[in-house]
Amino acid sequence: MKEKLLLILYFTGLLLLFNIAVSFGQGFTVRGTISDATTEAGLPGVNIVEKGTTNGTITDMDGKYSIEVADPSSELEFSYVGYLTETVRVNGRQEINFAMVEDIMQLEELVVVGYGSQRKIDLTGSVSVVNTENLEKITSNSIAKVLQGQTPGVQVYGGGEPGALPKVQIRGIGTFLNSDPLYVIDGVPIANVTNINISGESMLFENHQPGYGSLAPTGGISDFNPSDIESVQVLKDASAAAIYGARGANGVIIITTKRGKAGAVKINYEGSYGIQNVAKRMDLTKREQFQEISNLARTNDNSQPAPVNNPAAVTFYIDSIDTDWQEEFFTQGYITDHNLSFQGGTENSGYYASISYFDQTGTVVGPGPRYTKYGARLNLDQKKGRFTFGQSLSYTFSDQVRLANTRWNDIMTELVIAIPTVPVYDSINLGGYGGGTPFYDQIAGNPVAFNNLHEINFKRHRFFGVVFGEVEILKGLSYRLNLSYDRSEWFNKEFVPEYRVGDRHTWSRPMLSVWRGENPIMIMEHLLNFKKVIGKHDIAAVAGYTAQKDHTEDIYGHAEGYARPYLNKVLSGVSSGQSSKNRRIEHAMLSYLGRINYSYDDKYLVTASMRRDYSSNFSPLNKYGDFPSFALGWKVSNEGFFNVPFINVLKIRGGWGKIGNENIDPYLYESYVNNAVNYIFNGQLTPGTTQTRAIDPQIRWEERVTSYAGFDLAMWSNRIELSAEYYRNEANDILMGYPLPISSGAIAFQIDAANVASMVNKGVEITARYRKFEGDFHYEISGNIATLKNEVTDLGLTGIPIETNSTKTEVGSELGELYGHVFEGIFQSADEINTVPPDDPLFDPNKHAYQHPQTKPGDVKFKDINGRDEDGNLTGQPDGQIDVDDQTYLGSPFPKFTYGFNASADYKGFDISIFIQGVYGNKVYNGLYQVMNSLVEGNYSVESYENYWREDRPSDTWPRPTRNDHNGNNRASDRWIQDGSYLKIQNVQLGYTIPVNILNRIQGIGIENFRIYLQAQNLFSFTKLVCYDPDFINDRDQDNPVSDLFTKGVLGGSFPSPRTLMVGVSLSL
Amino acid sequence: MRTIKYIPVLAGMIFLATSCSEDFVDLTNPNQITTGSFWKTEDDAVLGTNAMYQALIYDGTYMRFGPWVMDVRADDALSTTPGYFPEDVANYIVDAANIAYRMPWEHNYVGVWRANQVLDNIEGIPMDEGLKARCKGEAYFIRGLCYFNLLNLFRNVVLYDHIAQSVDDYYIPQSSPEEVWQFAIQNFKNATDNCWTKDEVVAEKQLGRATKAAAAAFLAKSYVINHQFDSAAPVLLDIISTADGGNQKYGEYKLVDNYRDNFTEENENNSESIFEIQYAEIAGLSVQGFTGDPQPDWLKTDAHHKGLAAQPWGWGDLAPNPWIYEQFQLEKTVDGKRDPRMEASLIFYHDDDPTYTIYGFNQDSLLPAEYQPDPAHPVTPLEAMTFATPDVVSDTFKVFIRKWLTEDPVVEDAWLSTINRRVMRYDDVLLLYAECQNELNNRAACAKYIQIVRDRANLPDREAEFAGFTQEQMRDQIDHERLLEFCFEAWRYIDMLRWGWFDDDNPETFIIDELRLRDPEYLNWIPGREYMAIPPEEISRTNGIVKQNPGWN
């Protein structure tokens, strides 16, 4: 873009030069050279104007100029696109050499804002432009992951498993449905990542499987290659995103891929290779320590030690096995990334082509997880006269071997509870892996076995194509047609052989499940663009009409009863467990949109937009919604009265808008009958049909009303930039499963979707940047910080709180606040149990137990907080009894603030950068810590071993081991609540660019640029959280993505991101 | 004027823009039959009627928990489970996670909703009037039966007499038990009028459907539970066969010769059976549908037996109270043998038959060492009913109920029992009629009908002796006769309730101290808790609109 502008300016400048040369021919002459402050090279085409006159000139190819001015006290103004304009008083000098400073605000930079673009300086909405230089430094399969910490208000969680899809949230959660933002690539909204439940009621794996989570059949943004990205913009509020109407509720991330540039072909290669390790280890008990606790947990409950742990049971006792499961399970993984691109074009055409290969193996033993991705892209542009055509075509194939989960737990939980007396391998067992026998008397898992035995292979194809044509109808008015086709296809194959991993983990039905499906999306867009400058009025407008049709169709097959050896794992099983299913889900949208951007005198900016969407997800009565927005901006620094010399730019802006969310399962407004409600009459299966689920035919759009105010500031020749915003997002009519009384008779006693809840999110976002760009030593530091306050304001008719095992969401509270009992100490004696709490007059040991009839010394004492009166209403007073009413608020899952910090510097070819990211002030319900420390079953932490209560070693903080845990020592309580703050050194990179003169000496093939670098990703985390990775997604209930929202502060067995050490090279020819 | 040549472009654009109208987004669901297109034809009416019956084979109705929670609280059975659900129910403890409280509430209401769908939609369907009457009759029966169960389980229940039209319709408080009983009785009356007779059902090959006799029997039982003996007696007499002196209005019912035939696969839908849950093994079905949206691969089999079978064959959730072993021994048959109902009801140590086996194991091999019978002493009830499991690792003892059990061991993960559950039998009609006559002070008639049932068990003829009993003596005798006839059939607890044994306001019938001696599980009973707790989740889901039962707060 810049080159083109330069060319145009150059030629117009030349013309000017001739004109001026003819018109003026006398006076005082000034000469000099204008150079770039950074490169010190001469700048051609710089405009030089004698202030207050029309007298001017431009520099020549070497940056030299000469101008005659009226008198020696004149002022000269130097201006050049992309550089700061400067004014210099001649003061009688005949030679003025001047170094121009690049305008790092890049005020003229065009920013894509959806159905059009705007100068960055003219933005009125809440739009973040992501620094793509920083993105390029992080190697990941997903664009989503590299966004982490780069922009305030954009939170990215988890995604440690190769091929995993991290969760991205913009300004918090405003829906109970999928909260992923909308991604728009090269102008086309792409499919949301929709998890299809494969073990839910919908279709797959029901009662068949040893337990896997859901799969995302479309890879969303992860199917696109981060190296192809030219720019990323984040539309965070409705005044910017309302142009996307019903799809913009969660914010919009607009990605533009690289396109051809006029010039000779430029070949770029980037490659990196790294090793990956999970560095963290939990401190778990060894065999003897484990056996001691395990035996006590039984003898404390009046039962016998398990024979394998009992030295008296001589033939069974195990003293020769001491498996360190973490060492057995974790291994070194590898990551490889190659990108090769070709870029070039002529004045009227351009091309960009790339191929890429990405491969990441897991950090655990076994075939999975592993993720391999192959990609190719071809972007073309053609121009003739008034006509412009273009194409963006990409294809990605990904091959993912999934991490196996087990029948009972996710595999990370399985790892920490795996007991040391089980051998990893045991040839006696079918399948070859060790496991417990009945003499172990506990569920003894083997994570190595599960991850090796279960084969899960998920393959995805993604074709994405946009074709557009544009014609300039009149000057300033153009029509554009976009046609896009976005097709995902997937094939998932899962095989579970017959195996025996101990008595509790045997699988006797070798089975195969296959799942294949397609999701094509077709979008047609007609857009009219209008641009006109009339005096001080600058008007840009767009009007459009779009239609979208998409569907998901999948087939599923399952068979069991394969014979060893399993040669052909195709659907040819022979048992009774065979089934196959087919499903088709259709969706259509139709939209009208319009937007007008108006500015007056480059001081006052107004944007207004309107969109009407029709969606097939709602009944004909409620099928459309209107989404208006407006925003205002005031460039204070352009006012005549504004005279603060060190401030270059001051802009105040604010906006309001309404967006919608229609991203629900289809057909939810329409009740249907189930025709499998069969019964036996006369010994024969007789079909029956009836409605089994309740629906609400009145469902309508979720609505998000947002408003914001903020300012942008650039100071000291734009060396310092500062932006701050305050926002308030109100989410209304949130669709959720609406709880019905059980007596409704409806399955799951709920309406699957009703407009029930409301929420408010508000917060402040600040970004700041400082850059030093003169001389040999350059550096830049930038940081961002964001706060988010969430409040649930409505939960419907009955206002019933949404409770999970350890969280509660109620009106007036935050989403998923942590909830449970309060630890008060350890009962030291039977007397204490019978009199406790001594100051509680309501406690009567003859009437009921304080906690449980079988509470014993060494058990946890929880705090008595609340009780009920005779009518069953809560009193807020202790009642001498510990029950569910004594659960209380235990902390907020929302960080007080989140932050990111980038620093980079370079000196004569060497460059270094560091990226730090973190969250502060949230609480986490640590489920992993809970299973390690529950002193019930499974392996234990050394911490619990060293501290547990014994009569001869009393403790007031740690309870006794008890297998049955009648007292509920391990119930949800603040024992498991930890500080979730962390600071993560996400990326450190050291690079060296070989100087051009050396390259010239060694090459004969024209290498233009050659850089090598060393890099560490996810180097270290500072945190108090006891876990493998403080950056987690709650994996506890993968089958139910909605439940994640309500348990976002609950740490389960989220797969950790590895520490990565890499070397890389980038090369251009 | 150069712009003129762009007019076709503009026109084309406008054409494209308007070629899709707003009905572009009106899509129909290709995967499901929508409710709007259902309930149109005679076939739909029959399909909708059939679907109601599936509600009877959910976890909370007859497939498992429904009978389970009745038996575990009665004095004939004990909880011996390793799981806490039945243990807590048996001990009158509730918490929100105990699905044994929730399932019966949940699944009986599924039946109510499905019956309401039939009744609210069928009137508008043009169809054969006879068939329409049958469908309506069955809907009245299912709705009546589900409320009958809910009342006996929970007493204070929510009354839905129509399908809900809006979300608000779901949030209604409980009605008085009297009002709901009246509703159930009216449903059974309507069902009696509209259902087919047994003969029609047999002729049309529709065995398993509710019949007039089934509706009448539940109508009479509802009256009896509400102490309306004068209303119950004529209804019962209409069912009783002419051979037994009745009106035989709905076809002939008679006792089968062998009592055990009421609990086996071979003798399903026999002459004694009045209403029976139908189970069958159907090829291709593989999933036990405990709860949720019915799927095509759901088995049509019983899971109750898995809870009854002792470990390791089953879960050993329930076991007979050793007290009942003595009750069976009180009387011998006319030829000096054990009451045949004992053999059909219990698995016990046969000291007179050394070859007796349990699932193929000789009884001696299963007897724990400390219980090896001493030839010098008679076998005690506890000894006779206590067996060690053949699992060498575990030393837990489990005892056995035989009713409903398959003769094959229950193997891991196999739920299959296809033995139909006889919910209402002719012997019950006879004993209820006898009880009515006692309450109406016709001791002789009462004695006659008691003896008809005793005759089948080959017990001595004591009709004349019984005829001379006082009303109070007769009540005790009826208690005894019903215990032996219906133990472990989920009726015992309902009998105990209606006889006022837990009614602390009535000192004449209130016998909690005696019950506590018989069965220590009553130690935790407090007044009010004789009825199940309303599932706590229901209270919170309705935000207190549905109130907890007395005694449970």
Side-chain angles (χ1 to χ4, degrees), chain A residues 769-845:
Chain A
R769 176 154 80 163
Y770 177 79
R771 216 185 205 193
K772 184 213 176 256
F773 37 77
E774 303 93 347
D776 281 339
F777 180 60
H778 311 126
Y779 68 91
E780 175 183 335
I781 51 177
S782 64
N784 66 72
I785 186 166
T787 68
L788 170 65
K789 178 99 188 73
N790 170 275
E791 187 186 347
V792 176
T793 49
D794 189 8
L795 281 175
L797 187 67
T798 54
I800 300 158
I802 299 158
E803 290 182 51
T804 71
N805 176 42
S806 46
T807 69
K808 185 174 188 177
T809 301
E810 61 186 331
V811 174
S813 84
E814 294 170 317
L815 198 63
E817 66 177 27
L818 303 174
Y819 194 74
H821 289 272
V822 176
F823 175 84
E824 214 180 22
I826 302 290
F827 284 114
Q828 301 296 339
S829 67
D831 277 356
E832 191 186 346
I833 294 165
N834 290 328
T835 55
V836 167
D839 53 347
D840 188 347
L842 291 165
F843 179 66
D844 174 4

Side-chain angles (χ1 to χ4, degrees), chain A residues 694-695 738-745 751 797-798, chain B residues 109 112-113 116 120 147 158-175 538 542 545-546:
Chain A
I695 59 101
Y738 191 70
L740 293 177
I742 300 168
S743 59
S744 61
I751 291 171
L797 187 67
T798 54
Chain B
Y109 274 112
V112 170
W113 188 31
N116 280 336
D120 284 5
Y147 272 111
V158 183
L159 183 58
Y160 289 95
D161 52 1
H162 286 286
I163 52 179
Q165 297 299 318
S166 74
V167 172
D168 294 351
D169 287 356
Y170 291 111
Y171 293 90
I172 49 178
Q174 287 131 307
S175 299
E538 185 75 329
T542 60
I545 293 173
V546 171

Side-chain angles (χ1 to χ4, degrees), chain A residues 772 775-780 904-912:
Chain A
K772 184 213 176 256
D776 281 339
F777 180 60
H778 311 126
Y779 68 91
E780 175 183 335
S904 60
D906 63 85
Y907 179 76
K908 291 191 169 171
F910 289 94
D911 62 87
I912 184 166

Side-chain angles (χ1 to χ4, degrees), chain A residues 201-202 206-208 386-387 407 438-439 471-474 479-481 506 509 524 526-528 545 547-550 576-579 581-590 592 612 614-618 620 623 666-667 669-696 738-751 797-801 803 868-872 884, chain B residues 2-3 5-6 9-10 12-13 16-36 38-39 44 46-58 96 102 105-107 109-110 113-114 117 138 158 160 167-168 170-172 201-202 204-209 275-280 282 284-288 291-298 300 392-393 412-413 535 537-538 540-543 545-547 553:
Chain A
E201 284 158 321
S202 54
E206 198 169 357
N207 292 305
H208 286 308
R386 292 167 176 268
F387 296 96
R407 196 172 186 174
F439 305 108
V471 56
E472 192 177 19
I473 301 167
L474 297 166
Y479 161 73
R480 184 181 170 108
L481 171 69
T506 61
R509 294 151 39 203
M524 173 178 67
H526 303 275
L527 298 170
L528 272 178
Y545 162 83
Q548 167 173 349
K549 194 147 200 172
D550 60 273
S576 65
Q578 296 195 29
S579 61
K581 289 172 184 174
N582 168 231
R583 170 180 62 174
R584 186 181 171 91
I585 293 165
E586 294 174 338
H587 172 242
M589 280 188 86
L590 193 73
Y592 302 95
R612 169 173 286 194
Y614 294 81
S615 164
S616 63
N617 284 348
F618 304 100
K623 68 181 171 188
Y667 317 124
Y669 63 89
E670 198 173 29
S671 63
Y672 58 88
V673 291
N674 178 341
N675 60 4
V677 194
N678 307 330
Y679 189 70
I680 302 291
F681 291 112
N682 233 55
Q684 303 297 316
L685 190 67
T686 310
T689 303
T690 198
Q691 184 184 343
T692 54
R693 289 171 172 273
I695 59 101
D696 179 0
Y738 191 70
L740 293 177
I742 300 168
S743 59
S744 61
I747 297 303
F749 9 100
Q750 69 164 10
I751 291 171
L797 187 67
T798 54
I800 300 158
E803 290 182 51
R868 284 180 192 272
D869 62 19
E870 281 172 4
D871 299 329
V884 290
Chain B
R2 283 182 55 209
T3 53
K5 67 180 182 190
Y6 295 109
V9 177
L10 273 172
M13 203 185 79
L16 281 169
T18 50
S19 60
C20 294
S21 63
E22 289 150 20
D23 55 19
F24 177 69
V25 301
D26 296 342
L27 303 178
T28 49
N29 186 342
N31 307 297
Q32 252 95 22
I33 307 157
T34 59
T35 312
F38 194 69
W39 300 115
D44 294 345
V46 172
L47 288 167
T49 303
N50 295 347
M52 298 186 301
Y53 286 86
Q54 190 275 335
L56 302 181
I57 54 171
Y58 267 133
R102 195 191 81 200
W105 176 269
E106 175 180 342
H107 292 141
Y109 274 112
V110 171
W113 188 31
R114 292 188 190 165
Q117 285 186 52
E138 291 176 34
V158 183
Y160 289 95
V167 172
D168 294 351
Y170 291 111
Y171 293 90
I172 49 178
V201 164
V202 169
E204 295 290 328
K205 295 196 165 44
Q206 294 291 327
L207 269 177
R209 293 195 183 278
F275 186 68
E276 186 163 324
I277 303 296
Q278 309 287 316
Y279 292 116
I282 304 287
L285 307 189
S286 57
V287 176
Q288 189 76 32
T291 189
D293 218 351
Q295 300 296 315
D297 58 354
W298 277 16
K300 305 291 174 230
V392 287
V393 179
E412 187 196 358
D413 279 351
E537 193 183 344
E538 185 75 329
S540 58
R541 275 177 173 268
T542 60
N543 221 7
I545 293 173
V546 171
K547 299 254 181 284
N553 269 327

Side-chain angles (χ1 to χ4, degrees), chain A residues 677-787:
Chain A
V677 194
N678 307 330
Y679 189 70
I680 302 291
F681 291 112
N682 233 55
Q684 303 297 316
L685 190 67
T686 310
T689 303
T690 198
Q691 184 184 343
T692 54
R693 289 171 172 273
I695 59 101
D696 179 0
Q698 300 298 329
I699 53 170
R700 56 191 185 274
W701 310 86
E702 285 189 354
E703 214 176 76
R704 195 84 55 88
V705 179
T706 78
S707 45
Y708 93 99
F711 67 87
D712 301 314
L713 191 63
M715 295 178 289
W716 288 293
S717 305
N718 292 345
R719 285 176 179 86
I720 292 178
E721 281 175 43
L722 181 69
S723 282
E725 279 181 23
Y726 169 82
Y727 68 89
R728 185 176 189 280
N729 290 354
E730 199 179 302
N732 292 320
D733 288 340
I734 293 173
L735 286 159
M736 62 181 280
Y738 191 70
L740 293 177
I742 300 168
S743 59
S744 61
I747 297 303
F749 9 100
Q750 69 164 10
I751 291 171
D752 285 342
N755 298 91
V756 175
S758 298
M759 255 189 305
V760 174
N761 287 302
K762 50 193 173 188
V764 173
E765 294 168 358
I766 299 168
T767 42
R769 176 154 80 163
Y770 177 79
R771 216 185 205 193
K772 184 213 176 256
F773 37 77
E774 303 93 347
D776 281 339
F777 180 60
H778 311 126
Y779 68 91
E780 175 183 335
I781 51 177
S782 64
N784 66 72
I785 186 166
T787 68

